[in-house]
Each structure stands twice: as C-alpha cells, then as structure tokens.
Amino acid sequence: MTGATGNMGFAGFKELYSRRDRFNIRLLARKSEKNQKLLENYLNDGAVEVIWGDMMSFDDVLKGVTGADYVLHIGGMVSPAADYYPEKTLKVNVGSSEIIARAVLAQPDPSAVKVVYIGSVAQLGDRLFPHHWGRAGDPVQASPFDMYSVSKCRAEKAIVDSGVPNWVSLRQSGILYPDLLKAMGPTAFHVPVAGVLEWTTIEDSGRLLANVCEDWVPDSFWNNFYNIGSGPEYRMSNYEFESRIIGSLGLGGPEKVFEPQWFALKNFHGMWYEDSDRLENILHFRENLPLDDYFRRLKKELPWFYSLAPLAPKSIVKKFLGKYAYDKVLGTQYWVKNDPARLEAFYGSRDAYESIRSWDDVRPPHYETDAEKARAKGELLHLDHGWDESKSIYGLTDAEIQAAAAFRGGKFLGAVEVPGPSEASASCPSAAPTSRTRGRQYRWQCSKGHIFTASLEYVLLGGGWCPDCIYDSWAK
C-alpha cells in the first residue's frame, strides 16, 4: 500500500489489519514524525511490514511491490496541498504511478500482480445541472486551473496504458470522515452550492480497499473503471451538504455564517453516479447507514469544545470564516479583485458575480421537479459515449471505433506497431474486424490535431482522450 497514512489509506489499512489472518500487509510510508506515531503500534506486528521510503523512488517502490499479490496505490498529493503546490502535485501524482507500473513490470511474472489505482471524481470536471448525473466512460476533462485533476487524469493513464496486465481504476468521490466537520479553508468556496456530489463514507472506503483483495472478486472485475459512492442515500446538493455541516456544529444554516458571493458559481467537479451500484454489486462494501445517523456519528467523534460553537456570536464566526474567501492565493474574493482569468473561470463573468445579491441567486434547483422539466426538453442528458456499449470493446470493428473517435471530434488511426508507434500515414482504417487484445495500444488524433497513443480500455471504458488537451490555455 502507498498512502496508508492518509484518510482513505489508513481506513483501508485498518480493515486489512482486521483480516490479518488472511493478509500480510506491506506499507510504503515517508518517515515523518506524524507517520511514525500513527504506525508505531504496528511496527512489531508480524502481519505488517513498513518500508520507510518515498514513492518517487523506484528502489523503494520496488521493495514494496516485489512479491506482492496486490498493489494498492492510494498515495498522492490532494487538496489543499495540491492547490497550493500544483506543479509538485503533477510531478508526484504522475511520477509515482509511472514508478508503480515500472516496478510491477519488473517482476518475474507481472500477471501475478493486481494493481488498484485510486482515481478521482475530479477527473470528470464541472458537471452542473442539468448534466449532474454521470458514469464511467463519460469524457475525462479537467476543470480550468485544477492541476490536481490533471495529475489524476495523467496518473490514471500511466497505469492503464503501461502494459501492466491486471489493473483497475476506482474513481473516488468526496469522503465523509470526522475531521471534515472541522476542516475549513479557501477551497471550500471553490465549490458551487448549486452543485452535487455522491459522497462516500470513510468506513465504506476502507472496506472497499480490503474487499478488492479478497479471492472471491471475479476476474471480470479487472481492467475496467468504476465510480466509488455510498449510494442514493449519500447523494446531496452542495447546499444540503453545507447545511448539514453547519447544522452539525449548531450554527444554523450556511446563510448564518457565509455570504453567497463567497462561493464560486462553476468550475469545480462532482456528480451523482448513474453506476455506483455497479461497484457495490461486485465488492459489497457499503454499510448503508441512513445519512442522518451517519452525521450523528460524525458529530459524536468531534472534540468536546466543538459543542461550544453555538455559543459564539454568528458575526464573529462569519468574520473568522470569511478570511478564507479573501486568502491571497486561493480566495475567491481575492480573485474577484486581482485575477480576471479565475474570476471568469469560477463565476463566468464579472456581471455574473455582481448579479449575486442573495442566497436565492445561488441555491440549487429543485432537482426532482426541475429535472423532469429538463428531461422533457431533452436537456437532462445521459451522456452517449459514441459506441454500442452492449458489445465487448474487443469485438468492435475499425469502423465502429472510428465512429467513436469521430464522436469525440477526432480520428482512430489504427494499432501501434511493435515496438513503437507506426510512422505510416494517418489514413482511415478499414471497416473489417481486427484482432484486439487487452491493453493493446492504438493511435488517435484529437480535434486539435494532436496525435497520441491510448488503449481501447482508456478511451472507450474510461472516457480518456488526448493527454495534451487535458490542459487548456490556462495551463500553457
């Protein structure tokens, strides 16, 4: 395991540790004071081996991978550090995935190792109403200025198209965990209150990571993409989430402690999953605790002094929280005055920002009734992926794949010739079926003329496309 000292990773480690009669667990962790304290009770346990090292070191990663049946790659830079250090985030998240793949391929039998990569809902970008439902295979595209999303898109491809025989990408949603109730920072205001998210509990995430290593997981599970969510009960608008968080602290609603202008109107990520039950039906990881009960559980795990929050004057609380909106790096209100590009990305325009006069201007739509109206108008979309998904990707003709590429505004240029990309001209392939094997690389051309290589799995099952276009002008 990488990332075992993070929120999701430690939950997975504890769940695996509870099954130590069946698992030996090897952790790769940085030797920091925090990590040493977290893991000190396990250092003399025969079921646990800790490699103090760096996941950007091939030698350290190789020590962890050698002899492993499963590699759980959970580690990486996440928000808020990812927002403050975007270039480092890109280097670490992509580089560590490339190193993981190299270490697996260096094994005597790489097919004996199964690699679990933890992706992110951030890879699918901005999905506001009426496009707030999504599934695996929807187009991968980072939101402008979201280098974390870019890093996860590229890191995922580094695993999927590496030649590793057995992999899976599990795209994680937002995680509910106790410290979330006391976590606050500038990025909280990057989240449009009208957006949505299907959350995952930390307990469900831990069970997921342990269950994926069980021998009852079918072979058909591997080499595919799945969305992680705790199910219908955990689908909330961001406004409902903010209301629950603030309510849990006894502060009333978001209207009491925030100004509506502080919150961006767009350019984040989050969706309700059409297909999260697909993963649950295979790995059976959900606790299915009612949402109200789960928030009561979170509140019980807060330090005692949080019970004093209702005694604080709301004006003082608002002043304290408002400082994050004016943060001189990531604050939305700082951007309004000093960063026209981000103002446009996160609000649409200055006029759109200035039109926010009350909470009525930012609250979410009435999703059920408005969704029916949008559906009647043909606006509520189940995104087409441009190919017949009832078929196996390995049985598609060149013409069918060409049509899928054209659906994305590009071209399918045929198989990559071993040992490297063909130098042949990019002519349209024939309509005849060709031999297709798992992980085989193909050449594609995007609408901007970039030529890239990618597997059918990455493009058709994962929704991936041109790596250069994951960046837009904001990242050039």
Side-chain angles (χ1 to χ4, degrees):
M1 294 179 69
T2 66
T5 57
N7 290 316
M8 182 179 182
F10 194 62
F13 166 65
K14 288 190 295 183
E15 186 67 31
L16 281 164
Y17 185 75
S18 73
R19 309 178 197 185
R20 59 192 178 277
D21 58 327
R22 301 195 304 287
F23 294 114
N24 292 313
I25 310 160
R26 185 182 294 156
L27 312 178
L28 175 61
R30 289 185 301 107
K31 195 172 185 179
S32 66
E33 183 177 347
K34 170 181 172 290
N35 290 348
Q36 287 179 291
K37 184 175 181 179
L38 186 66
L39 298 176
E40 63 183 354
N41 293 331
Y42 306 97
L43 297 179
N44 297 317
D45 193 308
V48 180
E49 177 186 355
V50 178
I51 299 172
W52 297 113
D54 186 343
M55 65 183 182
M56 290 295 285
S57 163
F58 177 76
D59 290 341
D60 291 344
V61 171
L62 187 63
K63 290 177 187 176
V65 168
T66 298
D69 300 303
Y70 295 85
V71 174
L72 305 182
H73 184 30
I74 310 156
M77 290 186 65
V78 298
S79 183
D83 300 293
Y84 282 104
Y85 306 103
E87 296 301 331
K88 182 178 180 180
T89 296
L90 187 67
K91 180 180 178 180
V92 170
N93 290 354
V94 178
S96 63
S97 291
E98 293 172 342
I99 290 170
I100 290 281
R102 283 175 52 206
V104 171
L105 292 172
Q107 299 306 300
D109 181 11
S111 66
V113 186
K114 293 181 170 65
V115 178
V116 179
Y117 173 75
I118 302 301
S120 172
V121 67
Q123 293 173 232
L124 280 298
D126 203 344
R127 295 292 294 267
L128 293 174
F129 177 90
H131 309 296
H132 58 291
W133 285 94
R135 59 193 173 114
D138 284 358
V140 163
Q141 181 63 55
S143 292
F145 301 104
D146 190 350
M147 193 65 85
Y148 170 72
S149 175
V150 173
S151 77
K152 297 301 286 184
C153 294
R154 294 195 169 202
E156 181 181 72
K157 189 177 190 300
I159 296 290
V160 172
D161 286 351
S162 65
V164 167
N166 295 296
W167 54 267
V168 69
S169 180
L170 306 179
R171 292 173 176 168
Q172 180 60 284
S173 186
I175 300 178
L176 292 173
Y177 60 100
D179 282 355
L180 193 64
L181 289 177
K182 55 185 180 181
M184 188 65 193
T187 56
F189 298 119
H190 300 183
V191 184
V193 294
V196 303
L197 197 65
E198 179 176 328
W199 290 82
T200 309
T201 72
I202 191 67
E203 294 84 2
D204 284 357
S205 291
R207 273 186 296 275
L208 169 76
L209 291 172
N211 288 0
V212 78
C213 300
E214 294 284 5
D215 56 13
W216 44 258
V217 176
D219 290 341
S220 59
F221 167 76
W222 299 96
N223 298 88
N224 216 325
F225 302 78
Y226 302 87
N227 288 317
I228 307 174
S230 286
E233 181 83 12
Y234 288 81
R235 291 172 190 152
M236 291 179 274
S237 71
N238 296 334
Y239 176 76
E240 180 185 353
F241 172 74
E242 293 286 352
S243 297
R244 285 182 175 275
I245 287 286
I246 300 303
S248 295
L249 297 175
L251 295 171
E255 295 89 344
K256 301 289 186 181
V257 294
F258 299 129
E259 291 293 341
Q261 296 89 349
W262 294 350
F263 290 91
L265 296 177
K266 54 187 291 189
N267 199 54
F268 197 64
H269 51 259
M271 63 177 71
W272 289 343
Y273 292 136
E274 297 177 44
D275 61 351
S276 61
D277 287 350
R278 179 168 156 247
L279 187 60
E280 164 64 9
N281 291 340
I282 299 171
L283 296 184
H284 316 296
F285 61 94
R286 289 178 183 163
E287 182 181 12
N288 292 314
L289 186 68
L291 188 60
D292 288 341
D293 291 344
Y294 192 80
F295 269 85
R296 279 191 282 270
R297 176 194 289 176
L298 292 181
K299 186 176 180 180
K300 287 179 181 178
E301 296 186 33
L302 285 173
W304 66 269
F305 51 81
Y306 276 82
S307 63
L308 302 178
L311 302 179
K314 301 299 185 294
S315 59
I316 299 298
V317 175
K318 179 180 284 190
K319 184 176 181 179
F320 172 78
L321 297 176
K323 68 181 182 181
Y324 296 115
Y326 291 87
D327 179 86
K328 291 187 178 180
V329 178
L330 297 175
T332 56
Q333 302 310 287
Y334 177 78
W335 294 342
V336 167
K337 291 185 177 181
N338 300 284
D339 195 330
R342 281 180 167 81
L343 169 65
E344 182 177 355
F346 285 87
Y347 286 95
S349 67
R350 181 165 295 278
D351 286 345
Y353 168 75
E354 292 177 351
S355 70
I356 303 171
R357 302 184 183 280
S358 73
W359 278 92
D360 290 336
D361 297 320
V362 298
R363 286 192 189 95
H366 299 287
Y367 279 103
E368 292 184 7
T369 56
D370 287 0
E372 290 303 319
K373 293 176 184 177
R375 187 177 287 111
K377 295 178 182 178
E379 296 172 346
L380 186 66
L381 296 184
H382 164 89
L383 295 185
D384 193 335
H385 294 161
W387 61 284
D388 185 350
E389 295 175 65
S390 68
K391 295 183 178 181
S392 165
I393 61 172
Y394 307 112
L396 297 177
T397 66
D398 281 358
E400 289 173 305
I401 301 173
Q402 180 68 270
F407 188 78
R408 300 286 292 270
K411 296 178 181 179
F412 173 60
L413 305 180
V416 171
E417 301 299 328
V418 177
S422 170
E423 297 301 326
S425 63
S427 59
C428 176
S430 70
T434 60
S435 174
R436 309 202 194 283
T437 56
R438 201 164 65 180
R440 187 174 184 183
Q441 296 294 294
Y442 295 85
R443 298 172 73 238
W444 312 77
Q445 182 174 322
C446 76
S447 62
K448 295 181 180 179
H450 304 134
I451 293 177
F452 62 98
T453 62
S455 63
L456 294 181
E457 291 90 347
Y458 180 71
V459 172
L460 300 183
L461 300 180
W465 194 233
C466 175
D468 288 328
C469 291
I470 291 173
Y471 287 102
D472 205 340
S473 58
W474 56 271
K476 294 299 186 184

